[in-house]
Amino acid sequence: MSERILMSQASVSEIEERYVVDALRSGWVAPLGPHVDAFEREIAERVGVEHALALSSGTAALHLALIHLGARPGTKVVLSSMTFAATANAVVYTGAEPVFVDVRPDDGNVDVELMLHAIRTLQDEGEDVVAAIPVDLFGRACDYTALEAGLAGLGVPLLEDAAESLGAHVDGHPAGSFGTAAALSFNGNKIMTTSGGGMLLSDDAGLIAHARKLSTQSREPVPWYEHTEIGYNYRLSNILAALGRGQLKRLDDMIARRRQIRDRYAEAFADLPLRFLGRDADRGDANDNCWLTTVVVDPTWDEERLPHTLVEERGTSLETNSPTPADEIVATMSAQNIEVRHLWKPMHLQPVFSEARSFTTGASDDLFMRGVTLPSGPALTDDQIDRVIASFASVVA
Ligand SMILES: Cc1ncc(COP(=O)(O)O)c(C=O)c1O
């Protein structure tokens, strides 16, 4: 059997090695130290925000921001349904209720009009909506121009889930710089990694100071251990921050390589019945970080079944008994030792959220059935890309 091709394997060089060795030799092996401080400054500078807090995960960043924004039992948080479970889990940790909103069919990012409609509906019912979380899917930032204005009008803070989009832009503004706060992830398969880690970004010094305190078990600034609120152990280690600083030096090169890989797929698949998620939308994909190349096959498959108009409350029900086009691609390519994955299964279809409220159109159901993410990591060799192309083309053709 040929060697396994992974979807988003990290690329680590001697630059990272030098940073990590420096951290080890310095004796700073705790979840604080000079590399943590420098990593926070460098990411804040890169994204163009005032303050940054390095944390043990992106989930932790979302969780602490939500606590600061007042998420608690009896409140609601409205978020994109097409996301990794971490976004919704962070809401549930606070006791607030997640309310899911469907996405745009062209790029999988939240349907802005529908998100605003959902919030208005909830507010009209007297609900306390404490935050809205759009998710920058697979490295493409949302349409923040319309969303920021709409949310400001409704008085709802925007928390950007930029876990997948570091390095992307909208109209020259970096992903991670929108709204009241943003969360980044440095998980192992992301655009850059600290093996595990995340960061909370904001221009609001008070928000970051509160989150910093919460992340260190909410210790009060007195000589003994004094606590007036429940805290968490969420800080990032100095060793991992050193790894992150090395990765940040290489971020632009890694994005360029991912873009090159996407361009090769686009050229090779030009005649196949598929579209690239995001790539053919109004804004093109020049502003994306190209984290994962995502294709949606068979553009005419079963579209009549999916109305793409508002289906309020529960979503469409997916018939999961017969294999979808995405199932077939994943099964066939996995058998050839190539890691290809389904898009995130929408949160409104997850058994664990079966009681949650949702505002759906069928768009994310459709993307889930017909979309797959292709191997996209910067360490892929040209031979490996050729293997992916040949395998994918034979399944889809
Ligand atoms: C959209 C999204 N949100 C949140 C997270 C959570 O980040 P982490 O794994 O660092 O907790 C991830 C990735 O893992 C993600 O893809």
Side-chain angles (χ1 to χ4, degrees):
M1 174 76 91
S2 44
E3 130 217 53
R4 184 157 171 75
I5 299 179
L6 298 174
M7 203 183 57
S8 186
Q9 193 176 14
S11 150
V12 178
S13 75
E14 283 173 8
I15 298 179
E16 288 87 337
E17 196 178 313
R18 280 203 297 276
Y19 272 98
V20 172
V21 168
D22 178 78
L24 290 170
R25 290 194 179 147
S26 73
W28 286 97
V29 292
L32 80 172
H35 284 292
V36 173
D37 298 344
F39 190 38
E40 289 176 346
R41 279 196 307 275
E42 287 164 4
I43 290 279
E45 200 174 303
R46 164 86 197 206
V47 175
V49 294
E50 293 288 324
H51 308 283
L53 170 64
L55 292 164
S56 54
S57 70
T59 313
L62 291 166
H63 183 194
L64 297 187
L66 285 165
I67 294 174
H68 181 81
L69 294 173
R72 60 185 181 283
T75 65
K76 300 269 194 285
V77 174
V78 175
L79 66 150
S80 179
S81 189
M82 185 147 233
T83 185
F84 180 51
T87 323
N89 288 345
V91 175
V92 175
Y93 299 163
T94 67
E97 272 179 52
V99 176
F100 301 114
V101 175
D102 220 322
V103 300
R104 292 162 52 131
D106 59 352
D107 66 7
N109 281 331
V110 78
D111 179 328
V112 170
E113 276 312 307
L114 191 57
M115 183 169 247
L116 299 176
H117 167 81
I119 294 170
R120 269 186 237 109
T121 306
L122 292 165
Q123 288 181 334
D124 287 349
E125 293 169 9
E127 299 287 359
D128 185 8
V129 182
V130 295
I133 316 181
V135 177
D136 298 337
L137 201 69
F138 302 129
R140 180 183 182 80
C142 295
D143 176 4
Y144 285 106
T145 315
L147 187 56
E148 282 192 316
L151 289 176
L154 296 170
V156 173
L158 188 164
L159 171 57
E160 180 188 358
D161 185 339
E164 303 176 0
S165 63
L166 177 62
H169 291 85
V170 187
D171 300 332
H173 299 287
S177 68
F178 297 96
T180 302
L184 303 179
S185 168
F186 307 122
N187 191 19
N189 67 0
K190 291 291 184 289
I191 195 82
M192 60 167 264
T193 184
T194 56
S195 86
M199 208 167 287
L200 180 61
L201 306 174
S202 181
D203 289 332
D204 180 342
L207 183 153
I208 294 293
H210 185 203
R212 196 178 290 281
K213 184 178 149 204
L214 289 168
S215 73
T216 48
Q217 301 289 18
S218 290
R219 186 177 174 187
E220 295 294 329
V222 293
W224 55 91
Y225 286 93
E226 177 93 358
H227 307 275
T228 58
E229 67 183 320
I230 296 297
Y232 304 87
N233 179 8
Y234 276 172
R235 291 310 317 271
L236 185 71
S237 119
N238 194 57
I239 301 169
L240 300 186
L243 173 56
R245 292 184 72 197
Q247 287 267 286
L248 184 56
K249 289 258 178 297
R250 299 180 49 239
L251 177 62
D252 289 325
D253 289 345
M254 293 192 289
I255 291 174
R257 176 64 183 151
R258 285 184 190 258
R259 185 178 305 286
Q260 232 176 26
I261 294 168
R262 178 174 296 187
D263 289 344
R264 281 212 50 208
Y265 287 139
E267 202 181 310
F269 303 151
D271 297 328
L272 294 180
L274 56 78
R275 65 185 173 91
F276 285 75
L277 193 66
R279 189 177 174 93
D280 49 0
D282 306 345
R283 289 182 284 140
D285 68 3
N287 289 321
D288 304 359
N289 70 9
C290 297
W291 174 50
L292 294 182
T293 288
T294 303
V295 290
V296 184
V297 296
D298 203 354
T300 57
W301 190 78
D302 216 2
E303 279 197 334
E304 318 79 68
R305 204 158 64 89
L306 297 158
H308 291 295
T309 52
L310 179 63
V311 184
E312 211 157 320
E313 305 306 327
R314 284 300 307 143
T316 48
S317 61
L318 268 189
E319 286 161 29
T320 47
N321 297 344
S322 54
T324 64
D327 293 338
E328 285 169 16
I329 296 167
V330 171
T332 310
M333 293 184 72
S334 299
Q336 294 171 13
N337 236 0
I338 299 172
E339 189 184 22
V340 171
R341 291 207 193 152
H342 288 86
L343 308 198
W344 302 126
K345 181 172 180 178
M347 290 302 114
H348 67 268
L349 298 174
Q350 297 288 354
V352 72
F353 293 120
S354 61
E355 300 298 317
R357 204 162 163 188
S358 57
F359 291 76
T360 58
T361 60
S364 55
D365 302 20
D366 182 32
L367 291 176
F368 174 63
M369 289 187 280
R370 298 192 293 114
V372 294
T373 54
L374 298 174
S376 307
L380 283 178
T381 64
D382 288 345
D383 285 350
Q384 288 176 317
I385 298 166
D386 287 341
R387 240 180 84 201
V388 177
I389 288 172
S391 165
F392 182 82
S394 72
V395 188
V396 172

